[in-house]
Amino acid sequence: MTNWKYMKKDELEKQFSPSQWSHRMSADDVIKAHVTALKAGTERARGLAQTLLNVPYGDGDGEKLDVYVPSTCSLGVPLVIYLHGGYWQFLSKEESGFMAVPLVGKGVVVVAVGYDIAPKGNMDLMVSQVRRSVVSVIQQYSHISGLYLCGHSAGAHLAAMVLSTDWSQYSVRPQIKGAFLVSGIYDLLPILSTYVNEPLKMTEEVAVRNSPSQLVAQLKAASSDCDIVVAVAQNDSPEFRKQSEDYFQALQSSGLKVTLEDVPNTDHFNIIEQLVDGEYHLTQLLLKAVGKG
C-alpha cells in the first residue's frame, strides 16, 4: 500500500473517512445507524443499571462522568472506563453507556467519560481531561478489584494516551489491568491535512506529542503490566487497519503484553456497537479480561 505521505489529499481524506468503507449501507446511513444504535444501547443500560449521571471529575462544564453500577454491587468489582469516538468532534457520554448492557449483570461497573470535543476542546485539553477522569475514578472508587479501559476510534487514541501518561505529575498512579483499543488512530500526522483537522487545528508539534505511536517508551514505563487488545474491523479502511497493525507491532516489539484482534464481518461502526451483545466476540474477551468470562 502507498505510504500516506505520497497520497493525494482526496485519497487521504477517503482513507480517514470510515463511513466510506462500510459494506452494510451508504456513508450517511451508517453514521445515522451508528448514533441510533449507541443511543438505544445506552437507554437499555440506563434501565438495567443504577446510574450516577453527570458526576464531575474537574471544574469544566464538559468534565463529567456517567457511572453504571450493577444492582448487586459488592466490594472488589471490576470497573471499565469507556472513552467514546467521533473524531474528537462528535458524540458524547450521553450515548456511551451501551456496553454496560452485558457488563452490569455480571457485576462490572462501567464509566462513560465526557470530554470537551472540538472546536471547544483542543487535542491537548482532551488528553488532559481523560487522564484526569481516570485519576478521579480511582479516587472515587478505591474499592475496585481492577481498572480497565475501552476506547473506540478517537476514544481508542485517547485510551492509548492514558496508557502513555507520566503519572508522576498526578496525585495517584492508576494500575490499569487491561485496555481494549478498538479501531483507533495512533499516529495523528496523516490527518493533519484532512478535513478531520479543520475543527482541531492541530499543528505538527501538537500531533507528534499526542500520537501514541511516538510514546511507546512512555507506555512501557507507565503501563507495562497492562494487557492490551488492539482490535480492528475487517472493513476498516486500509489506513485504519495499518494504524492498528503498526501500533500493535510497536507495542509487541517493546515486549508489552498485546494482542491484535482482526474482527471479521465488522466495519468501523458495528465493531463497537456489538458490545451491547453478551455473546459478541469482543464482549466475551472483555468479560474474560475482567475475570467475569
Side-chain angles (χ1 to χ4, degrees):
M1 187 181 158
T2 313
N3 186 312
W4 65 266
K5 291 174 184 168
Y6 302 106
M7 284 183 194
K8 291 182 176 160
K9 186 168 186 274
D10 58 347
E11 175 55 25
L12 201 56
E13 299 227 315
K14 187 179 180 195
Q15 286 290 332
F16 287 98
S17 300
S19 59
Q20 304 268 339
W21 300 84
S22 173
H23 294 190
R24 295 181 295 138
M25 51 187 95
S26 73
D28 287 347
D29 288 344
V30 81
I31 291 172
K32 283 183 201 149
H34 184 55
V35 175
T36 301
L38 299 187
K39 282 183 173 168
T42 301
E43 284 297 309
R44 276 180 65 195
R46 289 184 177 184
L48 291 168
Q50 299 177 47
T51 53
L52 301 160
L53 304 179
N54 300 311
V55 178
Y57 66 83
D59 298 328
D61 291 342
E63 297 179 356
K64 294 191 170 64
L65 313 165
D66 289 345
V67 186
Y68 295 79
V69 185
S71 49
T72 53
C73 198
S74 56
L75 289 173
V77 295
L79 184 147
V80 178
I81 294 176
Y82 178 69
L83 302 173
H84 71 79
Y87 257 159
W88 308 278
Q89 57 197 283
F90 304 110
L91 299 175
S92 70
K93 68 176 179 57
E94 303 305 320
E95 56 280 294
S96 298
F98 57 95
M99 65 183 297
V101 171
L103 297 184
V104 288
K106 301 267 191 179
V108 182
V109 177
V110 175
V111 176
V113 175
Y115 53 89
D116 283 316
I117 56 175
K120 185 178 181 185
N122 61 38
M123 189 59 72
D124 287 324
L125 175 64
M126 288 182 254
V127 169
S128 164
Q129 286 177 325
V130 295
R131 287 171 169 165
R132 286 185 285 113
S133 78
V134 172
V135 169
S136 175
V137 166
I138 289 283
Q139 290 168 332
Q140 290 179 54
Y141 299 94
S142 55
H143 58 275
I144 59 175
S145 65
L147 179 67
Y148 302 84
L149 287 182
C150 179
H152 172 241
S153 198
H157 160 267
L158 293 171
M161 290 301 290
V162 170
L163 294 178
S164 310
T165 306
D166 174 3
W167 294 112
S168 66
Q169 301 165 42
Y170 295 81
S171 54
V172 295
R173 184 187 171 92
Q175 297 297 316
I176 300 165
K177 285 190 175 181
F180 281 72
L181 309 177
V182 183
S183 286
I185 290 192
Y186 309 104
D187 178 2
L188 300 182
L189 290 172
I191 63 169
L192 281 180
S193 64
T194 71
Y195 73 95
V196 180
N197 195 35
E198 284 165 19
L200 294 166
K201 298 182 168 53
M202 284 188 292
T203 61
E204 188 168 328
E205 185 189 4
V206 171
V208 168
R209 74 166 168 260
N210 289 297
S211 284
S213 62
Q214 306 277 343
L215 302 172
V216 173
Q218 286 95 310
L219 187 150
K220 190 172 183 184
S223 305
S224 60
D225 293 333
C226 182
D227 282 305
I228 301 168
V229 173
V230 177
V232 66
Q234 179 184 350
N235 297 321
D236 260 318
S237 75
E239 260 316 303
F240 259 93
R241 289 178 58 80
K242 186 173 184 300
Q243 287 246 348
S244 287
E245 288 158 8
D246 288 354
Y247 189 55
F248 161 72
Q249 282 166 358
L251 296 181
Q252 191 179 49
S253 299
S254 291
L256 288 150
K257 294 188 279 188
V258 60
T259 54
L260 181 69
E261 289 290 332
D262 191 342
V263 187
N265 305 314
T266 56
D267 57 37
H268 189 80
F269 303 96
N270 63 2
I271 189 175
I272 197 77
E273 292 164 9
Q274 292 181 74
L275 278 176
V276 77
D277 175 8
E279 300 304 311
Y280 174 50
H281 176 59
L282 289 185
T283 313
Q284 293 279 312
L285 280 184
L286 185 53
L287 284 166
K288 197 172 163 189
V290 304
K292 299 288 183 178

